[in-house]
Amino acid sequence: MKKLFVIALAALATLTASAQQLGKVNFQELVMLMPEMDAARETIAASQKEAEETYSAMVEEYQGKANQYQQKQASWTAAIRESKERELYEIQNRIQEFQNSISQELQQQQNQLTAPIQEKANKAVTEIAKAKGIVVLFDSSQAIYFDESKVLDITAEARKALNIPEGRTLETLQAELQAQAQAAQAQ
């Protein structure tokens, strides 16, 4: 009797699960294409450019002082030579410390800028999924396999809710980013 009850319960669960709606969305695509992400990318790029300029200036300072040391070391007294060596060592340490801290800071900045964007996308996707009666929503950019005919794709509806322009795709975004990079290099 107990075995029959378990079988009936399993059959009921299977029927209930098949009546529930499964959905999919390409969450990564949505986040990458959101207009807010463009502003975040610009801010991050500006910070990276500043960091690169600061690093280059530090390296240039080191190279100038190292060249001066090599050219004049023979004519300096031991005290001057020792002072200049200490100065070079300190500059090397500052450069290393800068490299370590700036990479962490840039990562933190990226996380701070993208977290609200991801939250907004998640909220929109969740609202759409609830309205459609979806009980499980998969991220299609990470799914290994799913039967397209049995899963409702809400990506297009989420794109509209997030104000992503109609013709904008990951390919057009890539082209935009490449054009921006080329323009920056030309300057």
Side-chain angles (χ1 to χ4, degrees), residues 14-69:
T14 303
L15 287 174
T16 304
S18 65
Q20 294 175 342
Q21 183 66 43
L22 300 176
K24 72 170 185 155
V25 66
N26 191 330
F27 192 78
Q28 180 182 0
E29 176 182 309
L30 292 175
V31 171
M32 294 300 293
L33 296 177
M34 288 174 62
E36 295 91 335
M37 196 62 172
D38 293 337
R41 272 190 289 272
E42 287 177 20
T43 302
I44 292 165
S47 295
Q48 287 174 333
K49 183 178 179 187
E50 265 184 53
E52 289 170 6
E53 290 171 355
T54 302
Y55 176 77
S56 293
M58 293 171 82
V59 169
E60 196 173 300
E61 175 190 8
Y62 175 80
Q63 288 173 340
K65 291 187 186 249
N67 288 340
Q68 179 189 33
Y69 176 84

Short mmCIF file of all heavy atoms in Angstrom, two decimals, residues 14-69:
data_model
loop_
_atom_site.label_atom_id
_atom_site.label_comp_id
_atom_site.label_asym_id
_atom_site.label_seq_id
_atom_site.Cartn_x
_atom_site.Cartn_y
_atom_site.Cartn_z
N THR A 14 5.05 14.34 -11.53
CA THR A 14 5.45 14.42 -12.93
C THR A 14 4.41 15.18 -13.74
O THR A 14 4.76 16.03 -14.56
CB THR A 14 5.65 13.00 -13.51
OG1 THR A 14 6.63 12.33 -12.72
CG2 THR A 14 6.12 13.07 -14.95
N LEU A 15 3.16 14.91 -13.53
CA LEU A 15 2.09 15.60 -14.25
C LEU A 15 2.08 17.08 -13.89
O LEU A 15 1.92 17.94 -14.76
CB LEU A 15 0.73 14.97 -13.94
CG LEU A 15 0.46 13.62 -14.58
CD1 LEU A 15 -0.86 13.05 -14.06
CD2 LEU A 15 0.43 13.74 -16.09
N THR A 16 2.26 17.39 -12.62
CA THR A 16 2.27 18.78 -12.18
C THR A 16 3.46 19.52 -12.77
O THR A 16 3.32 20.64 -13.25
CB THR A 16 2.33 18.84 -10.64
OG1 THR A 16 1.23 18.10 -10.11
CG2 THR A 16 2.27 20.26 -10.14
N ALA A 17 4.62 18.88 -12.76
CA ALA A 17 5.83 19.52 -13.29
C ALA A 17 5.70 19.78 -14.78
O ALA A 17 6.14 20.80 -15.27
CB ALA A 17 7.05 18.64 -13.01
N SER A 18 5.07 18.86 -15.51
CA SER A 18 4.96 19.06 -16.95
C SER A 18 3.96 20.16 -17.29
O SER A 18 4.03 20.76 -18.35
CB SER A 18 4.57 17.76 -17.65
OG SER A 18 3.27 17.36 -17.25
N ALA A 19 3.05 20.46 -16.39
CA ALA A 19 2.08 21.52 -16.63
C ALA A 19 2.66 22.89 -16.30
O ALA A 19 2.12 23.90 -16.71
CB ALA A 19 0.81 21.27 -15.82
N GLN A 20 3.75 22.92 -15.57
CA GLN A 20 4.36 24.18 -15.20
C GLN A 20 5.24 24.67 -16.34
O GLN A 20 5.82 23.89 -17.06
CB GLN A 20 5.17 24.01 -13.92
CG GLN A 20 4.29 23.68 -12.73
CD GLN A 20 5.11 23.38 -11.50
OE1 GLN A 20 6.29 23.10 -11.56
NE2 GLN A 20 4.46 23.45 -10.35
N GLN A 21 5.33 26.00 -16.45
CA GLN A 21 6.07 26.62 -17.55
C GLN A 21 7.54 26.80 -17.18
O GLN A 21 7.88 27.28 -16.13
CB GLN A 21 5.44 27.98 -17.88
CG GLN A 21 6.06 28.68 -19.04
CD GLN A 21 5.84 27.97 -20.36
OE1 GLN A 21 4.76 27.51 -20.64
NE2 GLN A 21 6.88 27.91 -21.16
N LEU A 22 8.39 26.39 -18.08
CA LEU A 22 9.82 26.63 -17.96
C LEU A 22 10.17 27.77 -18.91
O LEU A 22 9.58 27.92 -19.97
CB LEU A 22 10.63 25.39 -18.33
CG LEU A 22 10.37 24.14 -17.50
CD1 LEU A 22 11.19 22.98 -18.06
CD2 LEU A 22 10.70 24.37 -16.05
N GLY A 23 11.17 28.57 -18.52
CA GLY A 23 11.54 29.70 -19.36
C GLY A 23 13.04 29.82 -19.48
O GLY A 23 13.80 29.21 -18.74
N LYS A 24 13.44 30.64 -20.44
CA LYS A 24 14.87 30.92 -20.63
C LYS A 24 15.04 32.38 -20.98
O LYS A 24 14.12 33.03 -21.50
CB LYS A 24 15.48 30.03 -21.71
CG LYS A 24 15.03 30.39 -23.12
CD LYS A 24 15.83 29.65 -24.17
CE LYS A 24 15.40 30.15 -25.54
NZ LYS A 24 16.43 29.95 -26.53
N VAL A 25 16.22 32.89 -20.69
CA VAL A 25 16.56 34.25 -21.03
C VAL A 25 18.09 34.31 -21.15
O VAL A 25 18.79 33.57 -20.47
CB VAL A 25 16.06 35.25 -19.94
CG1 VAL A 25 16.79 35.04 -18.62
CG2 VAL A 25 16.18 36.68 -20.40
N ASN A 26 18.57 35.12 -22.06
CA ASN A 26 20.01 35.30 -22.19
C ASN A 26 20.38 36.51 -21.32
O ASN A 26 20.43 37.65 -21.78
CB ASN A 26 20.42 35.52 -23.64
CG ASN A 26 21.93 35.44 -23.81
OD1 ASN A 26 22.69 35.76 -22.90
ND2 ASN A 26 22.35 35.00 -24.97
N PHE A 27 20.62 36.24 -20.06
CA PHE A 27 20.85 37.29 -19.07
C PHE A 27 22.12 38.08 -19.37
O PHE A 27 22.13 39.30 -19.28
CB PHE A 27 20.91 36.68 -17.66
CG PHE A 27 20.86 37.70 -16.57
CD1 PHE A 27 19.66 38.29 -16.22
CD2 PHE A 27 22.01 38.07 -15.90
CE1 PHE A 27 19.61 39.23 -15.21
CE2 PHE A 27 21.97 39.02 -14.89
CZ PHE A 27 20.76 39.61 -14.55
N GLN A 28 23.17 37.39 -19.74
CA GLN A 28 24.44 38.07 -20.04
C GLN A 28 24.26 39.06 -21.19
O GLN A 28 24.75 40.19 -21.14
CB GLN A 28 25.50 37.04 -20.40
CG GLN A 28 26.85 37.64 -20.72
CD GLN A 28 27.89 36.59 -21.11
OE1 GLN A 28 27.62 35.41 -21.14
NE2 GLN A 28 29.07 37.05 -21.41
N GLU A 29 23.55 38.65 -22.22
CA GLU A 29 23.30 39.54 -23.35
C GLU A 29 22.52 40.76 -22.91
O GLU A 29 22.85 41.89 -23.29
CB GLU A 29 22.53 38.78 -24.43
CG GLU A 29 22.13 39.65 -25.62
CD GLU A 29 21.33 38.89 -26.65
OE1 GLU A 29 21.76 37.80 -27.05
OE2 GLU A 29 20.25 39.39 -27.03
N LEU A 30 21.49 40.56 -22.10
CA LEU A 30 20.69 41.69 -21.62
C LEU A 30 21.55 42.70 -20.88
O LEU A 30 21.49 43.90 -21.16
CB LEU A 30 19.57 41.20 -20.69
CG LEU A 30 18.46 40.37 -21.32
CD1 LEU A 30 17.52 39.87 -20.24
CD2 LEU A 30 17.70 41.18 -22.36
N VAL A 31 22.35 42.22 -19.95
CA VAL A 31 23.18 43.12 -19.15
C VAL A 31 24.18 43.86 -20.03
O VAL A 31 24.35 45.07 -19.91
CB VAL A 31 23.89 42.35 -18.02
CG1 VAL A 31 24.93 43.21 -17.33
CG2 VAL A 31 22.87 41.83 -17.01
N MET A 32 24.83 43.15 -20.94
CA MET A 32 25.83 43.78 -21.80
C MET A 32 25.24 44.85 -22.72
O MET A 32 25.91 45.82 -23.06
CB MET A 32 26.53 42.71 -22.66
CG MET A 32 27.39 41.74 -21.85
SD MET A 32 28.71 42.52 -20.93
CE MET A 32 29.74 43.11 -22.25
N LEU A 33 23.98 44.66 -23.12
CA LEU A 33 23.36 45.58 -24.08
C LEU A 33 22.57 46.72 -23.44
O LEU A 33 22.14 47.63 -24.14
CB LEU A 33 22.45 44.79 -25.03
CG LEU A 33 23.15 43.77 -25.92
CD1 LEU A 33 22.13 43.01 -26.76
CD2 LEU A 33 24.20 44.42 -26.79
N MET A 34 22.40 46.69 -22.13
CA MET A 34 21.63 47.74 -21.47
C MET A 34 22.32 49.09 -21.64
O MET A 34 23.55 49.18 -21.55
CB MET A 34 21.46 47.41 -19.98
CG MET A 34 20.50 46.28 -19.72
SD MET A 34 20.44 45.78 -17.98
CE MET A 34 19.84 47.28 -17.19
N PRO A 35 21.55 50.15 -21.87
CA PRO A 35 22.15 51.49 -22.01
C PRO A 35 22.99 51.90 -20.80
O PRO A 35 24.02 52.55 -20.95
CB PRO A 35 20.93 52.40 -22.18
CG PRO A 35 19.86 51.52 -22.70
CD PRO A 35 20.11 50.17 -22.11
N GLU A 36 22.57 51.48 -19.62
CA GLU A 36 23.32 51.82 -18.41
C GLU A 36 24.72 51.22 -18.44
O GLU A 36 25.67 51.77 -17.87
CB GLU A 36 22.59 51.31 -17.16
CG GLU A 36 21.26 51.98 -16.90
CD GLU A 36 20.08 51.25 -17.55
OE1 GLU A 36 20.28 50.53 -18.55
OE2 GLU A 36 18.97 51.43 -17.06
N MET A 37 24.86 50.09 -19.10
CA MET A 37 26.17 49.43 -19.17
C MET A 37 27.14 50.25 -20.02
O MET A 37 28.35 50.22 -19.77
CB MET A 37 26.00 48.02 -19.73
CG MET A 37 27.18 47.14 -19.48
SD MET A 37 27.47 46.90 -17.72
CE MET A 37 28.71 45.67 -17.79
N ASP A 38 26.63 50.98 -21.00
CA ASP A 38 27.50 51.84 -21.81
C ASP A 38 28.19 52.88 -20.94
O ASP A 38 29.39 53.12 -21.06
CB ASP A 38 26.70 52.53 -22.92
CG ASP A 38 26.18 51.57 -23.97
OD1 ASP A 38 26.76 50.48 -24.13
OD2 ASP A 38 25.18 51.91 -24.64
N ALA A 39 27.40 53.51 -20.05
CA ALA A 39 27.97 54.52 -19.14
C ALA A 39 28.99 53.88 -18.20
O ALA A 39 30.04 54.47 -17.93
CB ALA A 39 26.86 55.20 -18.35
N ALA A 40 28.69 52.70 -17.72
CA ALA A 40 29.62 52.00 -16.83
C ALA A 40 30.92 51.69 -17.57
O ALA A 40 32.02 51.87 -17.01
CB ALA A 40 28.98 50.72 -16.30
N ARG A 41 30.81 51.21 -18.80
CA ARG A 41 32.01 50.91 -19.59
C ARG A 41 32.86 52.16 -19.81
O ARG A 41 34.09 52.11 -19.73
CB ARG A 41 31.63 50.29 -20.93
CG ARG A 41 31.46 48.79 -20.90
CD ARG A 41 31.32 48.20 -22.30
NE ARG A 41 30.06 48.52 -22.93
CZ ARG A 41 28.95 47.79 -22.79
NH1 ARG A 41 28.95 46.71 -22.05
NH2 ARG A 41 27.85 48.13 -23.40
N GLU A 42 32.21 53.31 -20.06
CA GLU A 42 32.95 54.56 -20.26
C GLU A 42 33.69 54.97 -19.00
O GLU A 42 34.85 55.38 -19.06
CB GLU A 42 31.99 55.68 -20.69
CG GLU A 42 31.50 55.55 -22.11
CD GLU A 42 30.49 56.64 -22.47
OE1 GLU A 42 30.47 57.69 -21.80
OE2 GLU A 42 29.73 56.43 -23.44
N THR A 43 33.02 54.85 -17.85
CA THR A 43 33.65 55.21 -16.58
C THR A 43 34.83 54.30 -16.30
O THR A 43 35.91 54.76 -15.89
CB THR A 43 32.62 55.12 -15.43
OG1 THR A 43 31.52 56.00 -15.73
CG2 THR A 43 33.23 55.48 -14.10
N ILE A 44 34.66 53.01 -16.52
CA ILE A 44 35.73 52.04 -16.29
C ILE A 44 36.90 52.32 -17.23
O ILE A 44 38.07 52.30 -16.81
CB ILE A 44 35.20 50.61 -16.44
CG1 ILE A 44 34.22 50.29 -15.31
CG2 ILE A 44 36.34 49.60 -16.48
CD1 ILE A 44 33.36 49.06 -15.55
N ALA A 45 36.60 52.60 -18.49
CA ALA A 45 37.66 52.88 -19.46
C ALA A 45 38.43 54.14 -19.08
O ALA A 45 39.67 54.18 -19.21
CB ALA A 45 37.07 53.01 -20.87
N ALA A 46 37.72 55.16 -18.61
CA ALA A 46 38.39 56.40 -18.20
C ALA A 46 39.32 56.13 -17.00
O ALA A 46 40.44 56.64 -16.95
CB ALA A 46 37.37 57.47 -17.85
N SER A 47 38.85 55.33 -16.07
CA SER A 47 39.68 54.99 -14.90
C SER A 47 40.90 54.18 -15.32
O SER A 47 42.01 54.40 -14.81
CB SER A 47 38.86 54.21 -13.88
OG SER A 47 37.82 55.01 -13.35
N GLN A 48 40.71 53.26 -16.24
CA GLN A 48 41.84 52.46 -16.72
C GLN A 48 42.85 53.34 -17.44
O GLN A 48 44.07 53.17 -17.27
CB GLN A 48 41.35 51.34 -17.64
CG GLN A 48 40.65 50.23 -16.91
CD GLN A 48 40.03 49.20 -17.84
OE1 GLN A 48 39.68 49.50 -18.98
NE2 GLN A 48 39.88 47.99 -17.34
N LYS A 49 42.36 54.29 -18.22
CA LYS A 49 43.27 55.19 -18.94
C LYS A 49 44.08 56.04 -17.95
O LYS A 49 45.29 56.21 -18.13
CB LYS A 49 42.48 56.09 -19.89
CG LYS A 49 43.35 57.00 -20.72
CD LYS A 49 42.56 57.83 -21.69
CE LYS A 49 43.49 58.72 -22.49
NZ LYS A 49 42.77 59.67 -23.32
N GLU A 50 43.41 56.55 -16.91
CA GLU A 50 44.12 57.32 -15.89
C GLU A 50 45.18 56.48 -15.21
O GLU A 50 46.30 56.94 -14.95
CB GLU A 50 43.13 57.82 -14.83
CG GLU A 50 42.61 59.20 -15.06
CD GLU A 50 41.71 59.66 -13.92
OE1 GLU A 50 42.13 59.60 -12.74
OE2 GLU A 50 40.59 60.07 -14.22
N ALA A 51 44.81 55.24 -14.90
CA ALA A 51 45.76 54.33 -14.24
C ALA A 51 46.96 54.07 -15.13
O ALA A 51 48.11 54.08 -14.66
CB ALA A 51 45.07 53.02 -13.87
N GLU A 52 46.72 53.85 -16.41
CA GLU A 52 47.82 53.61 -17.36
C GLU A 52 48.72 54.84 -17.48
O GLU A 52 49.95 54.71 -17.54
CB GLU A 52 47.25 53.23 -18.73
CG GLU A 52 46.64 51.84 -18.75
CD GLU A 52 45.86 51.56 -20.03
OE1 GLU A 52 45.88 52.38 -20.97
OE2 GLU A 52 45.22 50.49 -20.07
N GLU A 53 48.12 56.03 -17.49
CA GLU A 53 48.92 57.26 -17.59
C GLU A 53 49.77 57.44 -16.34
O GLU A 53 50.95 57.83 -16.43
CB GLU A 53 48.01 58.47 -17.81
CG GLU A 53 47.37 58.50 -19.18
CD GLU A 53 46.30 59.59 -19.32
OE1 GLU A 53 45.97 60.27 -18.32
OE2 GLU A 53 45.78 59.73 -20.45
N THR A 54 49.19 57.17 -15.18
CA THR A 54 49.94 57.29 -13.92
C THR A 54 51.08 56.28 -13.89
O THR A 54 52.21 56.63 -13.53
CB THR A 54 49.00 57.07 -12.71
OG1 THR A 54 47.95 58.04 -12.77
CG2 THR A 54 49.74 57.19 -11.40
N TYR A 55 50.80 55.06 -14.29
CA TYR A 55 51.83 54.01 -14.32
C TYR A 55 52.96 54.41 -15.27
O TYR A 55 54.14 54.30 -14.94
CB TYR A 55 51.21 52.68 -14.74
CG TYR A 55 52.21 51.57 -14.89
CD1 TYR A 55 52.74 50.93 -13.78
CD2 TYR A 55 52.65 51.17 -16.16
CE1 TYR A 55 53.68 49.91 -13.92
CE2 TYR A 55 53.59 50.16 -16.30
CZ TYR A 55 54.10 49.54 -15.18
OH TYR A 55 55.04 48.55 -15.32
N SER A 56 52.59 54.88 -16.46
CA SER A 56 53.60 55.29 -17.44
C SER A 56 54.48 56.41 -16.90
O SER A 56 55.70 56.41 -17.11
CB SER A 56 52.93 55.73 -18.74
OG SER A 56 52.31 54.65 -19.36
N ALA A 57 53.88 57.37 -16.21
CA ALA A 57 54.65 58.47 -15.64
C ALA A 57 55.62 57.97 -14.58
O ALA A 57 56.77 58.43 -14.51
CB ALA A 57 53.71 59.52 -15.05
N MET A 58 55.16 57.00 -13.78
CA MET A 58 56.04 56.43 -12.75
C MET A 58 57.21 55.68 -13.37
O MET A 58 58.35 55.82 -12.92
CB MET A 58 55.23 55.51 -11.83
CG MET A 58 54.18 56.25 -10.99
SD MET A 58 53.09 55.12 -10.12
CE MET A 58 54.09 54.74 -8.70
N VAL A 59 56.94 54.91 -14.40
CA VAL A 59 57.99 54.16 -15.08
C VAL A 59 58.97 55.12 -15.76
O VAL A 59 60.19 54.93 -15.72
CB VAL A 59 57.39 53.16 -16.09
CG1 VAL A 59 58.45 52.57 -17.00
CG2 VAL A 59 56.64 52.05 -15.36
N GLU A 60 58.42 56.17 -16.36
CA GLU A 60 59.26 57.17 -17.02
C GLU A 60 60.19 57.84 -16.00
O GLU A 60 61.38 58.05 -16.27
CB GLU A 60 58.36 58.20 -17.70
CG GLU A 60 59.04 59.05 -18.72
CD GLU A 60 58.04 59.93 -19.46
OE1 GLU A 60 57.12 59.38 -20.10
OE2 GLU A 60 58.18 61.16 -19.37
N GLU A 61 59.65 58.16 -14.83
CA GLU A 61 60.47 58.76 -13.77
C GLU A 61 61.60 57.81 -13.38
O GLU A 61 62.76 58.21 -13.26
CB GLU A 61 59.61 59.07 -12.55
CG GLU A 61 60.40 59.58 -11.36
CD GLU A 61 59.59 59.66 -10.07
OE1 GLU A 61 58.45 59.16 -10.03
OE2 GLU A 61 60.15 60.20 -9.09
N TYR A 62 61.25 56.54 -13.21
CA TYR A 62 62.25 55.53 -12.83
C TYR A 62 63.34 55.42 -13.90
O TYR A 62 64.53 55.42 -13.59
CB TYR A 62 61.59 54.18 -12.59
CG TYR A 62 62.59 53.09 -12.31
CD1 TYR A 62 63.17 52.96 -11.04
CD2 TYR A 62 63.01 52.22 -13.31
CE1 TYR A 62 64.12 51.98 -10.79
CE2 TYR A 62 63.96 51.24 -13.06
CZ TYR A 62 64.51 51.12 -11.80
OH TYR A 62 65.46 50.16 -11.55
N GLN A 63 62.92 55.32 -15.15
CA GLN A 63 63.89 55.17 -16.23
C GLN A 63 64.82 56.38 -16.33
O GLN A 63 66.02 56.23 -16.57
CB GLN A 63 63.16 54.93 -17.56
CG GLN A 63 62.54 53.55 -17.64
CD GLN A 63 61.68 53.36 -18.89
OE1 GLN A 63 61.24 54.32 -19.52
NE2 GLN A 63 61.45 52.10 -19.23
N GLY A 64 64.27 57.56 -16.15
CA GLY A 64 65.10 58.77 -16.19
C GLY A 64 66.14 58.78 -15.09
O GLY A 64 67.32 59.08 -15.32
N LYS A 65 65.71 58.42 -13.89
CA LYS A 65 66.65 58.40 -12.77
C LYS A 65 67.65 57.25 -12.89
O LYS A 65 68.80 57.39 -12.50
CB LYS A 65 65.89 58.33 -11.45
CG LYS A 65 65.14 59.63 -11.18
CD LYS A 65 64.52 59.68 -9.81
CE LYS A 65 63.67 60.93 -9.72
NZ LYS A 65 64.18 61.92 -8.82
N ALA A 66 67.21 56.12 -13.45
CA ALA A 66 68.12 54.99 -13.66
C ALA A 66 69.18 55.35 -14.70
O ALA A 66 70.37 55.02 -14.53
CB ALA A 66 67.34 53.75 -14.10
N ASN A 67 68.76 56.04 -15.76
CA ASN A 67 69.72 56.49 -16.78
C ASN A 67 70.73 57.47 -16.19
O ASN A 67 71.93 57.39 -16.46
CB ASN A 67 69.00 57.12 -17.97
CG ASN A 67 68.28 56.09 -18.82
OD1 ASN A 67 68.57 54.90 -18.77
ND2 ASN A 67 67.30 56.55 -19.59
N GLN A 68 70.21 58.40 -15.39
CA GLN A 68 71.09 59.38 -14.74
C GLN A 68 72.09 58.66 -13.83
O GLN A 68 73.28 58.99 -13.82
CB GLN A 68 70.26 60.38 -13.93
CG GLN A 68 71.10 61.40 -13.21
CD GLN A 68 70.27 62.24 -12.24
OE1 GLN A 68 69.31 61.76 -11.66
NE2 GLN A 68 70.66 63.50 -12.09
N TYR A 69 71.60 57.68 -13.09
CA TYR A 69 72.47 56.92 -12.19
C TYR A 69 73.59 56.23 -12.98
O TYR A 69 74.76 56.29 -12.60
CB TYR A 69 71.65 55.89 -11.41
CG TYR A 69 72.47 54.99 -10.53
CD1 TYR A 69 72.85 55.40 -9.25
CD2 TYR A 69 72.89 53.74 -10.97
CE1 TYR A 69 73.62 54.59 -8.43
CE2 TYR A 69 73.65 52.91 -10.16
CZ TYR A 69 74.02 53.34 -8.90
OH TYR A 69 74.79 52.54 -8.10
#
